Amino acid sequence: MTAKPLDGKALAEKIRAEIAAEVVALRSAHGVVPGLAAVLVGDDPASRVYVRNKHKACRDAGLAGEVIKLAESTSEAELLAVIDRLNADSGTHGILVQLPLPKAIDPARVIDRVDPRKDVDGFHPQNLGLLVAGRPRFIACTPLGVRRMLVDHGIETKGSHIVILGRSITVGAPMALLALQKGIGGDATTTVCHSATRDVAAIAREADILIAAIGKREIVRGDWIKPGAVVVDVGIHRTEAGGLAGDVAFAEAERVASWLSPVPGGVGPMTIAMLLHNTVLAAKLQIDKGEKR
Ligand code: GUN
């Protein structure tokens, strides 16, 4: 078997074009241009690339994008003051603080400070809580992108066993909650594996849909995959040769899986498309709130 590609790049392009049209419509109906502020603290090279890509995608889709770059030495109080300013700014509909943050800053305090109505990352406890309650508002961009990719490729999640490798609040935990939601792209039975899980490979082999978000390069081997399973690779790692690899050993997985997301060109572009989606959603919610007042 040779797995078919879960082509996130092509799908993300289509979604971004749809979002660009929506931005034009919002502007003519309400005079509002959805605006995203991305805050980058320090000079982690990967984070810089991610923020640059997010900013470019915003501008290309007609959104207003602002990048606020702060020094590695920025204190928590200084960062919280920046967030307060963005919370109060009516032209900023979405706020994203790129993670990881420098060690001196407590990420939980930062996440809690973002206005939950501007939390386009979906990391605020209020938004995570709404997802647990089955009435989501902002859903974390990577899980949202994975679900959209599965749905658009016609992959049935209802009744399937989805195994997620990793329990982070950025991917694993919201991914599990999303897969449990009722309706399209949900209704799955989910298992979440993490660093204390015994015999991860055996559990992974039970998956109809295996989502790898461990952050360890090519840890998922061909024999971790049930023949015919769908494999989604959330990992991204730079190789010694200067290329990119995922959490999944691609050549081995390709021989076993029915569908497999490539790295690059799979989940990454979908995450960015969903960030734009969430920013437009934030603008709409803020417009509605203004009009109902
Ligand atoms: N770092 C890695 N992934 C993400 C993400 O989705 N959002 C933010 N803010 N930081 C990240």
Side-chain angles (χ1 to χ4, degrees):
M1 177 179 298
T2 301
K4 292 187 282 287
L6 284 167
D7 188 347
K9 187 162 179 272
L11 177 56
E13 265 166 38
K14 186 183 115 192
I15 294 168
R16 280 158 53 167
E18 287 165 7
I19 289 170
E22 227 178 320
V23 169
V24 171
L26 265 183
R27 182 184 217 153
S28 63
H30 302 279
V32 170
V33 177
L36 174 73
V39 183
L40 174 65
V41 189
D43 28 46
D44 178 72
S47 291
R48 268 166 47 185
V49 173
Y50 293 144
V51 168
R52 196 189 312 138
N53 290 345
K54 288 170 183 178
H55 181 241
K56 183 175 182 308
C58 265
R59 304 305 295 247
D60 289 351
L63 285 83
E66 179 190 6
V67 177
I68 296 160
K69 288 187 185 152
L70 301 173
E72 180 82 23
S73 59
T74 301
S75 70
E76 190 176 287
E78 284 165 334
L79 176 56
L80 294 178
V82 169
I83 294 171
D84 287 345
R85 176 173 71 70
L86 296 170
N87 282 341
D89 174 21
S90 62
T92 300
H93 301 95
I95 301 170
L96 171 154
V97 182
Q98 186 65 27
L99 303 177
L101 288 164
K103 290 211 165 40
I105 300 177
D106 177 0
R109 249 187 243 137
V110 172
I111 288 167
D112 288 2
R113 192 69 157 245
V114 173
D115 181 337
R117 293 188 176 275
K118 296 190 175 187
D119 169 39
V120 288
D121 259 330
F123 298 162
H124 190 285
Q126 193 182 100
N127 287 314
L128 285 167
L130 285 168
L131 183 57
V132 175
R135 42 195 183 95
R137 179 169 56 199
F138 294 117
I139 299 168
C141 302
T142 300
L144 192 57
V146 170
R147 180 178 71 173
R148 180 75 193 263
M149 197 157 71
L150 294 173
V151 169
D152 267 67
H153 286 82
I155 293 160
E156 180 64 271
T157 56
K158 187 173 182 177
S160 71
H161 184 196
I162 297 187
V163 175
I164 299 153
L165 308 179
R167 59 177 158 183
S168 66
I169 72 143
T170 51
V171 185
M175 187 74 246
L177 294 168
L178 198 51
L180 285 172
Q181 302 290 305
K182 289 183 179 164
I184 294 166
D187 287 325
T189 303
T190 59
T191 302
V192 181
C193 297
H194 48 77
S195 51
T197 300
R198 259 182 267 131
D199 203 352
V200 176
I203 297 170
R205 263 193 303 276
E206 301 277 313
D208 302 311
I209 301 173
L210 179 63
I211 301 174
I214 293 190
K216 287 194 183 144
R217 180 177 151 193
E218 293 172 331
I219 190 167
V220 177
R221 314 303 307 193
D223 64 1
W224 287 36
I225 299 165
K226 178 165 77 176
V230 175
V231 178
V232 179
D233 191 349
V234 178
I236 185 152
H237 311 273
R238 206 156 272 292
T239 64
E240 298 77 24
L244 294 171
D247 285 358
V248 178
F250 188 89
E252 291 180 21
E254 207 179 20
R255 288 196 286 272
V256 189
S258 58
W259 291 91
L260 173 61
S261 71
V263 177
V267 173
M270 291 301 297
T271 297
I272 294 184
M274 293 302 108
L275 176 65
L276 304 185
H277 166 87
N278 278 350
T279 304
V280 172
L281 174 63
K284 285 182 184 164
L285 292 173
Q286 286 159 49
I287 291 166
D288 282 352
K289 190 169 157 255
E291 287 177 354
K292 280 192 197 127
R293 248 192 312 224

